[in-house]
Amino acid sequence: MRHGNKVNHLGRTHSHRKAMLSNMASSLILHKRIETTLAKAKELKKFVEPLLTRAKEDTTHNRRIAFGYLNDKESVKELFGTVSDKIADRPGGYTRIIKLGNRLGDAAEVALMELVDFNDALLLANADKPVKTRRSRRGGKKEGGSETPAAEAAPAAPKADFPIVAEDEAPEAPKAESDESQEDAKSE
C-alpha cells in the first residue's frame, strides 16, 4: 500500500528520476515551455517551483543550491538572469500546465508546461481586456439617499402628450400639413 507516499516515482529508479527532472527543469528554464506527459509535468512542477522561488534572491548560496539541482551552468545563468527578473513580483505559481490530449502511439496524456510570465500571446491578450469590476447582487445604499426602495424600483409611467380616445372618436389630422410634406418630398 502507498499510504502517505506523495511522490510519483514515474516507474524509474531514484537516480534516473532525479536526472530526468533535472534535465526537464533545465529545458523549461532555457526554452520557457516544454511538451511532456501530464504525470511528468506535475512532478516537474514540484521540482522547479522551489528553484524559481530561490532565484528571486540572487546570492551565492542560492546559485549553488540551484546548480546542485540543475547541473547545468547555462540554465543557472538564465534562471538568475532573465527568469528571476520576470518573476520578481509574483508570489508563487510560476508555471502553468495545459492539457493537450492523448498521444497517438501509447495514448498517454500529453501536456504543455510553460513559465507563466513568458507567454507573450496570453500577456498581450490580458493587457487588452478591460479590468473587470466585481458587481454585487446585494443592494447597497444609493447616492440619492431616498428611503423608499419600492419607489426607486418601480419606474414611473410615461405621461401621454395627448389623451387616449376610442377609434371612432379620434380626430383626423389636418390635410394641409400632409400635402405640404408630400410636395417637399417630390421636389427633393
Side-chain angles (χ1 to χ4, degrees), residues 32-51:
K32 311 303 184 254
R33 68 181 56 168
I34 57 172
E35 189 174 314
T36 183
T37 62
L38 185 62
K40 287 180 191 174
K42 287 179 179 179
E43 286 303 305
L44 180 60
K45 187 172 188 132
K46 291 184 210 174
F47 184 84
V48 81
E49 295 252 349
L51 288 177

Side-chain angles (χ1 to χ4, degrees), residues 16-119:
H16 185 186
R17 181 178 183 277
K18 183 180 173 188
M20 183 192 64
L21 290 175
S22 172
N23 289 333
M24 289 174 65
S26 294
S27 296
L28 179 66
I29 291 167
L30 291 174
H31 303 293
K32 311 303 184 254
R33 68 181 56 168
I34 57 172
E35 189 174 314
T36 183
T37 62
L38 185 62
K40 287 180 191 174
K42 287 179 179 179
E43 286 303 305
L44 180 60
K45 187 172 188 132
K46 291 184 210 174
F47 184 84
V48 81
E49 295 252 349
L51 288 177
L52 294 169
T53 303
R54 279 199 180 269
K56 288 179 170 185
E57 188 180 344
D58 190 4
T59 62
T60 306
H61 182 63
N62 284 345
R63 280 181 178 266
R64 285 179 178 164
I65 289 176
F67 184 76
Y69 280 96
L70 297 175
N71 298 320
D72 184 24
K73 200 183 284 188
E74 293 302 315
S75 58
V76 172
K77 278 186 200 173
E78 182 77 13
L79 175 63
F80 282 90
T82 58
V83 176
S84 65
D85 291 341
K86 284 259 193 170
I87 65 170
D89 57 341
R90 184 175 289 277
Y94 312 108
T95 57
R96 174 186 298 127
I97 298 173
I98 301 168
K99 295 180 183 179
L100 298 177
N102 295 339
R103 199 160 49 195
L104 285 177
D106 58 354
E109 286 184 282
V110 179
L112 178 77
M113 186 165 188
E114 64 183 5
L115 295 175
V116 171
D117 292 315
F118 288 91
N119 190 343

Side-chain angles (χ1 to χ4, degrees), residues 118-143:
F118 288 91
N119 190 343
D120 296 331
L122 192 63
L123 291 175
L124 291 174
N126 287 342
D128 294 343
K129 285 184 187 176
V131 177
K132 280 190 173 182
T133 57
R134 186 176 179 281
R135 292 199 165 75
S136 176
R137 296 189 72 180
R138 298 175 58 200
K141 293 198 176 201
K142 306 289 181 192
E143 290 181 17

